[in-house]
Amino acid sequence: METAALVRPNRLWSAEEVVTRPSPVPATAGVYGWHFERPPHPDLPAGRLLYVGIAPRYMANRVSKQNLRKRIRYHYRGNAAGSTLRLTLGCLLGLELRRAGSGGRMTFGREGEACPRAWMAENARVCWVECDEPWVAESRLISRLDVPLNLDRNRHNAFHDRLKALRAEARSRARALPISS
């Protein structure tokens, strides 16, 4: 069920639609899928599902307060330290990753984070499926689908090694730079 609803959704939602109030995104658990009208890398296809995520993630020792609405909105408006999707997109778009705060978090900086925000507003569309145990669905989806922007449990994907190396290089360069304000 989740597969068809994410691969061929009845509706895709834009940043503008998702961040308005009231938001159409439910404040429940589920799986979400990101489609891109223009891909963030020339070797990736346009107009199809490239990434899946979940809210909340499985946590054996505590209960997460995340839900679909919070998570999807954060991907559109947050920063690379809290969104692996934003981190990936920024790296693919050639942005400079920087250490922030005490140096443990990495973002693209205040001005740099505006770039993935604007790029996503123009190119990224999202859909979702509500489900009680999204971590089970996510694992199944990643094993069955070609979602090149997912790294976790996705070593079988042809883009995995390139993306992993690109993100590692960005982190390495960031460690060599001073902490940004």
Side-chain angles (χ1 to χ4, degrees):
M1 174 186 147
E2 298 100 2
T3 303
L6 295 177
V7 174
R8 292 177 303 283
N10 292 331
R11 175 99 157 57
L12 290 169
W13 300 83
S14 69
E16 184 179 358
E17 294 170 311
V18 165
V19 300
T20 60
R21 295 185 191 269
S23 176
V25 186
T28 60
V31 181
Y32 50 88
W34 290 91
H35 295 247
F36 298 90
E37 293 179 6
R38 183 172 58 113
H41 188 275
D43 293 342
L44 296 174
R48 74 166 191 80
L49 178 70
L50 297 180
Y51 180 85
V52 296
I54 61 170
R57 64 185 175 92
Y58 178 75
M59 297 172 21
N61 58 353
R62 66 186 175 102
V63 177
S64 172
K65 292 183 171 47
Q66 287 293 322
N67 61 52
L68 286 170
R69 182 181 304 149
K70 288 179 185 177
R71 199 70 199 126
I72 290 170
R73 286 175 131 190
Y74 194 86
H75 284 308
Y76 271 129
R77 300 191 321 188
N79 63 50
S83 166
T84 191
L85 176 61
R86 286 179 72 86
L87 173 63
T88 291
L89 292 174
C91 289
L92 290 171
L93 295 171
L95 301 178
E96 181 179 72
L97 193 62
R98 297 295 300 260
R99 293 180 300 144
S102 64
R105 294 180 331 110
M106 293 195 187
T107 74
F108 298 110
R110 185 169 290 136
E111 286 119 34
E113 289 291 349
C115 181
R117 185 173 301 122
W119 190 90
M120 289 179 75
E122 186 175 327
N123 298 289
R125 301 296 180 262
V126 68
C127 59
W128 57 85
V129 178
E130 295 178 66
C131 63
D132 293 332
E133 295 182 320
W135 50 90
V136 175
E138 180 190 41
S139 185
R140 187 174 53 245
L141 289 163
I142 290 173
S143 71
R144 293 179 183 166
L145 298 174
D146 177 20
V147 282
L149 300 186
N150 284 85
L151 285 179
D152 192 31
R153 296 183 308 273
N154 201 20
R155 290 178 198 255
H156 62 276
N157 191 283
F159 199 67
H160 181 273
D161 291 343
R162 289 177 63 191
L163 179 56
K164 185 176 178 181
L166 183 69
R167 286 180 30 159
E169 289 167 15
R171 282 191 175 106
S172 178
R173 284 191 306 272
R175 285 186 199 98
L177 296 171
I179 297 171
S180 66
S181 54

PDB file of all heavy atoms in Angstrom, residues 28 43 49 56 64 87 98 103 128 137 140 154 157 159:
ATOM      1  N   THR A  28       0.539  13.007  12.660  1.00  0.00           N
ATOM      2  CA  THR A  28       0.505  11.594  13.032  1.00  0.00           C
ATOM      3  C   THR A  28       1.779  10.921  12.558  1.00  0.00           C
ATOM      4  O   THR A  28       2.605  11.516  11.877  1.00  0.00           O
ATOM      5  CB  THR A  28      -0.701  10.888  12.367  1.00  0.00           C
ATOM      6  OG1 THR A  28      -0.562  11.006  10.941  1.00  0.00           O
ATOM      7  CG2 THR A  28      -2.026  11.485  12.800  1.00  0.00           C
ATOM      8  N   ASP A  43      22.931  13.160 -12.709  1.00  0.00           N
ATOM      9  CA  ASP A  43      22.802  11.713 -12.908  1.00  0.00           C
ATOM     10  C   ASP A  43      21.535  11.121 -12.302  1.00  0.00           C
ATOM     11  O   ASP A  43      21.347   9.904 -12.333  1.00  0.00           O
ATOM     12  CB  ASP A  43      24.022  10.981 -12.332  1.00  0.00           C
ATOM     13  CG  ASP A  43      25.293  11.287 -13.104  1.00  0.00           C
ATOM     14  OD1 ASP A  43      25.189  11.772 -14.254  1.00  0.00           O
ATOM     15  OD2 ASP A  43      26.386  11.051 -12.561  1.00  0.00           O
ATOM     16  N   LEU A  49      10.036   9.807  -7.359  1.00  0.00           N
ATOM     17  CA  LEU A  49      10.443   9.594  -5.971  1.00  0.00           C
ATOM     18  C   LEU A  49      11.948   9.338  -5.901  1.00  0.00           C
ATOM     19  O   LEU A  49      12.459   8.443  -6.565  1.00  0.00           O
ATOM     20  CB  LEU A  49       9.681   8.390  -5.394  1.00  0.00           C
ATOM     21  CG  LEU A  49      10.007   7.992  -3.966  1.00  0.00           C
ATOM     22  CD1 LEU A  49       9.494   9.043  -2.984  1.00  0.00           C
ATOM     23  CD2 LEU A  49       9.380   6.637  -3.651  1.00  0.00           C
ATOM     24  N   PRO A  56       7.505   9.079  13.553  1.00  0.00           N
ATOM     25  CA  PRO A  56       8.815   9.218  14.192  1.00  0.00           C
ATOM     26  C   PRO A  56       9.731   8.067  13.793  1.00  0.00           C
ATOM     27  O   PRO A  56       9.279   7.086  13.211  1.00  0.00           O
ATOM     28  CB  PRO A  56       8.467   9.127  15.674  1.00  0.00           C
ATOM     29  CG  PRO A  56       7.306   8.186  15.721  1.00  0.00           C
ATOM     30  CD  PRO A  56       6.520   8.492  14.467  1.00  0.00           C
ATOM     31  N   SER A  64       9.442   9.337  20.753  1.00  0.00           N
ATOM     32  CA  SER A  64       9.734  10.516  19.949  1.00  0.00           C
ATOM     33  C   SER A  64       8.503  11.403  19.871  1.00  0.00           C
ATOM     34  O   SER A  64       7.380  10.922  19.809  1.00  0.00           O
ATOM     35  CB  SER A  64      10.147  10.087  18.541  1.00  0.00           C
ATOM     36  OG  SER A  64      10.249  11.219  17.709  1.00  0.00           O
ATOM     37  N   LEU A  87      20.882  18.069   4.141  1.00  0.00           N
ATOM     38  CA  LEU A  87      22.325  17.853   4.068  1.00  0.00           C
ATOM     39  C   LEU A  87      22.695  17.293   2.700  1.00  0.00           C
ATOM     40  O   LEU A  87      23.596  17.786   2.025  1.00  0.00           O
ATOM     41  CB  LEU A  87      22.792  16.909   5.180  1.00  0.00           C
ATOM     42  CG  LEU A  87      24.245  16.464   5.114  1.00  0.00           C
ATOM     43  CD1 LEU A  87      25.193  17.642   5.266  1.00  0.00           C
ATOM     44  CD2 LEU A  87      24.518  15.412   6.176  1.00  0.00           C
ATOM     45  N   ARG A  98      29.505  23.865   7.020  1.00  0.00           N
ATOM     46  CA  ARG A  98      30.310  24.500   8.064  1.00  0.00           C
ATOM     47  C   ARG A  98      29.921  23.970   9.427  1.00  0.00           C
ATOM     48  O   ARG A  98      28.774  23.601   9.657  1.00  0.00           O
ATOM     49  CB  ARG A  98      30.070  26.020   8.059  1.00  0.00           C
ATOM     50  CG  ARG A  98      30.477  26.748   6.807  1.00  0.00           C
ATOM     51  CD  ARG A  98      31.966  26.733   6.547  1.00  0.00           C
ATOM     52  NE  ARG A  98      32.747  27.346   7.605  1.00  0.00           N
ATOM     53  CZ  ARG A  98      33.241  28.567   7.578  1.00  0.00           C
ATOM     54  NH1 ARG A  98      33.032  29.331   6.519  1.00  0.00           N
ATOM     55  NH2 ARG A  98      33.949  29.029   8.586  1.00  0.00           N
ATOM     56  N   GLY A 103      30.546  23.599  17.466  1.00  0.00           N
ATOM     57  CA  GLY A 103      31.382  22.901  16.491  1.00  0.00           C
ATOM     58  C   GLY A 103      30.935  21.490  16.185  1.00  0.00           C
ATOM     59  O   GLY A 103      31.428  20.869  15.251  1.00  0.00           O
ATOM     60  N   TRP A 128       2.700  11.658   1.521  1.00  0.00           N
ATOM     61  CA  TRP A 128       2.852  10.890   2.754  1.00  0.00           C
ATOM     62  C   TRP A 128       1.767   9.841   2.876  1.00  0.00           C
ATOM     63  O   TRP A 128       0.727   9.907   2.224  1.00  0.00           O
ATOM     64  CB  TRP A 128       2.835  11.815   3.969  1.00  0.00           C
ATOM     65  CG  TRP A 128       1.586  12.640   4.048  1.00  0.00           C
ATOM     66  CD1 TRP A 128       0.391  12.286   4.597  1.00  0.00           C
ATOM     67  CD2 TRP A 128       1.405  13.951   3.517  1.00  0.00           C
ATOM     68  NE1 TRP A 128      -0.525  13.302   4.437  1.00  0.00           N
ATOM     69  CE2 TRP A 128       0.075  14.333   3.789  1.00  0.00           C
ATOM     70  CE3 TRP A 128       2.243  14.846   2.840  1.00  0.00           C
ATOM     71  CZ2 TRP A 128      -0.429  15.569   3.410  1.00  0.00           C
ATOM     72  CZ3 TRP A 128       1.727  16.079   2.463  1.00  0.00           C
ATOM     73  CH2 TRP A 128       0.402  16.426   2.751  1.00  0.00           C
ATOM     74  N   ALA A 137       7.820   0.147   7.618  1.00  0.00           N
ATOM     75  CA  ALA A 137       7.506   0.487   6.225  1.00  0.00           C
ATOM     76  C   ALA A 137       8.734   1.059   5.516  1.00  0.00           C
ATOM     77  O   ALA A 137       9.009   0.715   4.365  1.00  0.00           O
ATOM     78  CB  ALA A 137       6.357   1.488   6.179  1.00  0.00           C
ATOM     79  N   ARG A 140      11.203  -1.639   4.425  1.00  0.00           N
ATOM     80  CA  ARG A 140      10.645  -2.375   3.288  1.00  0.00           C
ATOM     81  C   ARG A 140      10.722  -1.542   2.005  1.00  0.00           C
ATOM     82  O   ARG A 140      11.116  -2.043   0.947  1.00  0.00           O
ATOM     83  CB  ARG A 140       9.195  -2.765   3.620  1.00  0.00           C
ATOM     84  CG  ARG A 140       8.530  -3.664   2.620  1.00  0.00           C
ATOM     85  CD  ARG A 140       7.153  -4.129   3.080  1.00  0.00           C
ATOM     86  NE  ARG A 140       6.271  -3.041   3.467  1.00  0.00           N
ATOM     87  CZ  ARG A 140       5.802  -2.839   4.702  1.00  0.00           C
ATOM     88  NH1 ARG A 140       6.109  -3.662   5.689  1.00  0.00           N
ATOM     89  NH2 ARG A 140       5.000  -1.830   4.966  1.00  0.00           N
ATOM     90  N   ASN A 154      20.713   1.277   2.301  1.00  0.00           N
ATOM     91  CA  ASN A 154      20.507   1.421   0.867  1.00  0.00           C
ATOM     92  C   ASN A 154      21.805   1.207   0.078  1.00  0.00           C
ATOM     93  O   ASN A 154      21.976   1.761  -1.003  1.00  0.00           O
ATOM     94  CB  ASN A 154      19.936   2.818   0.571  1.00  0.00           C
ATOM     95  CG  ASN A 154      19.233   2.900  -0.757  1.00  0.00           C
ATOM     96  OD1 ASN A 154      18.833   1.887  -1.333  1.00  0.00           O
ATOM     97  ND2 ASN A 154      19.084   4.112  -1.257  1.00  0.00           N
ATOM     98  N   ASN A 157      21.893   0.554  -3.753  1.00  0.00           N
ATOM     99  CA  ASN A 157      21.571   1.570  -4.747  1.00  0.00           C
ATOM    100  C   ASN A 157      22.835   2.015  -5.480  1.00  0.00           C
ATOM    101  O   ASN A 157      23.883   2.240  -4.876  1.00  0.00           O
ATOM    102  CB  ASN A 157      20.901   2.771  -4.069  1.00  0.00           C
ATOM    103  CG  ASN A 157      20.308   3.709  -5.078  1.00  0.00           C
ATOM    104  OD1 ASN A 157      21.030   4.476  -5.711  1.00  0.00           O
ATOM    105  ND2 ASN A 157      18.998   3.625  -5.265  1.00  0.00           N
ATOM    106  N   PHE A 159      23.698   4.798  -6.694  1.00  0.00           N
ATOM    107  CA  PHE A 159      24.169   6.145  -6.352  1.00  0.00           C
ATOM    108  C   PHE A 159      24.754   6.210  -4.937  1.00  0.00           C
ATOM    109  O   PHE A 159      25.362   7.213  -4.559  1.00  0.00           O
ATOM    110  CB  PHE A 159      23.002   7.129  -6.504  1.00  0.00           C
ATOM    111  CG  PHE A 159      23.406   8.574  -6.630  1.00  0.00           C
ATOM    112  CD1 PHE A 159      24.092   9.025  -7.750  1.00  0.00           C
ATOM    113  CD2 PHE A 159      23.065   9.484  -5.646  1.00  0.00           C
ATOM    114  CE1 PHE A 159      24.453  10.363  -7.872  1.00  0.00           C
ATOM    115  CE2 PHE A 159      23.419  10.823  -5.760  1.00  0.00           C
ATOM    116  CZ  PHE A 159      24.119  11.265  -6.877  1.00  0.00           C
TER     117      PHE A 159
END
